[in-house]
Amino acid sequence: MPEPTGVIHDIGYQRYTGPRLGRRSVFAALYLHGLRTAFGLGRSAKAKIFPWLVVAIVTVVAAGLTAVRSQVGEVVMTYAQFADNLSWLVIFFVAVVAPELVSRDLRSGVLPLYFSRPLPRGDYPLAKLLSLVTALWLLLGGPQLLMFLGAAFTTGDGVRGVWNELLDLLPGLLYAGLWAVVFASVGLLVASFTGKRAFAAGGVVAVFLMTTPIVGTLSIMPSQAVNELAGLASPSTLVQGVGIWSLGELLVSEDRGGGEHIGDFGPVYAIAAVLLVAGCVALLLLRYRKVAAR
């Protein structure tokens, strides 16, 4: 009978005896990884091109507005108007980043690895959502801080002028946060339904852009109430309606007719925005419960 020839090799595997950090650390790791992914950090140079191109555009616009203001001595665009006018970039940013955050994991099949750990099913989508909200807020809020610094150093009213400038900045940052929350909620929900990034990106763009003609159609209806409620049909005009109602002269310009196109329906726009975000988050959580159950 031949002797056994098998050999057992000790390749150094050992039982982990270090600290187990728990749920908060897992959530924080997912959040930071998502935020880095949004800006292409830690990834290839190709992945950095689009996000940093968008960052460059909004920064150049903010620097230009600051330079013009320092020369003419008048406010060219308020902080809230900056977030409003540059919001079209947010659509394309979400269309590119949201699939990177969730569609890649769906397609590569790594979600069972995430959920095999003691990770609550809701933590994964919430961490991804929070990272996208943060990225969008930085995208719109960061240039506003640049504008504020430029205005603070050129104001001729001393401390009072800086304080007044800060009071104008805070609503602009809050308005940027509103854009971030609404667009991140809608965009991430759409992207979570497919593992193909191209389909996810197209779906996000379609949701935001194809609802705009509906608003235009409702705006020319013979009913004034329908005209004033038309903005509810699109996420972009919904956010603008909330801004017009809550910020008033900080956002409304003459070409908007004094904000009269929403009439007295400002609270309706605010409630609709809350319901939209809540609905998207609820559907997102439900979506990942189904994914985890497979």
Side-chain angles (χ1 to χ4, degrees), residues 15-21:
R15 187 177 182 84
Y16 178 74
T17 58
R20 300 187 182 277
L21 300 178

Side-chain angles (χ1 to χ4, degrees), residues 3-11:
E3 296 183 1
T5 58
V7 178
I8 298 176
H9 296 277
D10 182 5
I11 57 177

